[in-house]
Amino acid sequence: MSKKTIKTELPENYEELKKAANRTASWKARYDAVVELGMYNHNQVKDILRTRLANDPVYKVQEAAFQSLLDFGEEAQLPKRKKFELVKGANKVFVRVKKSLPKDHTFEEYLTKLKRMRIDVYDTYEGDKGDEFKTWLEREWSNLK
């Protein structure tokens, strides 16, 4: 296992990383930003990591922030993984999207419309469910009334 090099100054692209760490439409961008910020032991970076740890809806991002804070020697506690509604009101969003489509719509049409209407919800669940996302969403979709 390789030990990562930790620097004490702010990265040159700090503002860009800060924006990426807070981008709600892309859990992958948040994750990548948190991992890169984790190489810089600076108070401003620690603030961003604490925010991601406490508030990110995708557990993988929280884990990366947690690990970086531990690597800096900071006290941190990993929150419990949410099991059900990751985004408040997501179930209502799923129903609303289904009702906005014709009765005989396909799952692919539903998936496309959800992504277009609520990328934040789509992205959060995609990040949380990983490879099982489409299978999980199709099961949820078939159970919606």
Side-chain angles (χ1 to χ4, degrees), residues 22 45-56 65 69:
N22 293 307
V45 168
K46 290 177 192 176
D47 288 343
I48 292 171
L49 294 175
R50 282 189 200 97
T51 300
R52 289 297 96 215
L53 175 61
N55 300 320
D56 205 281
L69 287 168

Side-chain angles (χ1 to χ4, degrees), residues 55-119:
N55 300 320
D56 205 281
V58 177
Y59 199 69
K60 188 173 181 177
V61 178
Q62 289 180 323
E63 288 177 319
F66 173 73
Q67 189 58 53
S68 292
L69 287 168
L70 289 182
D71 291 347
F72 296 156
E74 296 289 311
E75 284 190 30
Q77 187 168 352
L78 189 62
K80 289 184 180 177
R81 185 180 198 124
K82 291 182 181 177
K83 291 184 181 179
F84 301 105
E85 200 173 54
L86 302 177
V87 176
K88 189 174 180 176
N91 291 334
K92 290 179 183 179
V93 170
F94 295 145
V95 170
R96 193 175 318 125
V97 171
K98 184 166 185 167
K99 287 184 176 184
S100 72
L101 291 165
K103 283 209 180 285
D104 61 344
H105 69 273
T106 65
F107 172 69
E108 288 303 318
E109 291 170 323
Y110 176 79
L111 188 67
T112 302
K113 183 131 189 193
L114 174 63
K115 191 173 186 177
R116 193 174 64 242
M117 284 178 67
R118 290 295 303 269
I119 186 68

Side-chain angles (χ1 to χ4, degrees), residues 120-138:
D120 59 325
V121 173
Y122 180 95
D123 185 71
T124 297
Y125 281 92
E126 179 190 38
D128 186 68
K129 303 296 181 190
D131 294 337
E132 300 166 9
F133 171 66
K134 284 189 178 179
T135 306
W136 171 83
L137 187 60
E138 189 166 12

Side-chain angles (χ1 to χ4, degrees), residues 6-11 36-42 45 72:
I6 297 177
K7 301 170 187 156
T8 57
E9 71 279 352
L10 276 176
E36 190 169 342
L37 286 167
M39 293 186 272
Y40 298 89
N41 187 353
H42 191 279
V45 168
F72 296 156

